[in-house]
Amino acid sequence: MRLALAEASAAGDEDEIPVGAVVLDPDGRVVGRGHNIREQSADPTAHAEIVALRGAAVVLGTWRLDGCTLVVTLEPCAMCAGATVLGRVERLVMGAWSPDGGAVGSLWDVVRDRRTGYRPEVVAGVLEEECSALLAGWFAERRSAGSTD
């Protein structure tokens, strides 16, 4: 999670919402990393998880991320939770909850939906306070500066 937090900090430095993610292969090596780049890429799908999953697929040479772990600082949205399921990620480790848009138990529960053929293990709340504080601080700075992000 510390690597994902470092990615999230990089996003915040680039004026992106500070969410970071890493993908670990079955041996624990980082094979994908990413942070939000929606603003700079003008791409609505450029969430941290998607960037990290794409990177892992390139490194591993396959879209099937069997045995891999996705570590992310914020509960994934429906798109990212769906990509986690479709990519056959074995384990999802997350930090802060996202009650307004999370799809791993908050608003929806895409990854544990019994109707899907694949359900990753979920480990929630890892370094939750640090992950939440990073996001809260970033949004507080924007509010005090008069931004409407």
Side-chain angles (χ1 to χ4, degrees):
M1 185 60 77
R2 296 254 180 242
L3 294 173
L5 277 164
E7 285 291 328
S9 292
D13 293 345
E14 297 169 2
D15 211 28
E16 300 274 357
I17 296 174
V19 177
V22 294
V23 177
L24 308 172
D25 74 5
D27 295 322
R29 292 182 300 252
V30 175
V31 292
R33 60 179 64 231
H35 55 269
N36 281 352
I37 56 170
R38 291 186 310 170
E39 298 297 332
Q40 71 185 47
S41 66
D43 179 354
T45 70
H47 290 200
E49 301 94 323
I50 300 299
V51 174
L53 291 168
R54 286 176 178 160
V58 168
V59 168
L60 297 173
T62 180
W63 62 269
R64 292 180 184 269
L65 303 178
D66 299 317
C68 289
T69 299
L70 172 62
V71 181
V72 62
T73 59
L74 181 65
E75 178 184 7
C77 68
M79 174 184 68
C80 295
T84 301
V85 170
L86 293 173
R88 308 293 196 270
V89 173
E90 182 173 317
R91 182 176 305 103
L92 169 63
V93 177
M94 59 183 222
W97 291 95
S98 180
D100 294 337
V104 184
S106 287
L107 192 54
W108 299 286
D109 201 348
V110 171
V111 298
R112 289 179 283 231
D113 191 314
R114 297 173 77 74
R115 295 169 292 184
T116 65
Y118 188 85
R119 290 183 292 283
E121 172 190 0
V122 175
V123 179
V126 176
L127 298 180
E128 181 176 358
E129 288 182 21
E130 287 181 54
C131 294
S132 294
L134 181 63
L135 284 159
W138 188 86
F139 280 108
E141 281 181 28
R142 288 341 166 260
R143 280 191 296 277
S144 69
S147 178
T148 59
D149 286 327

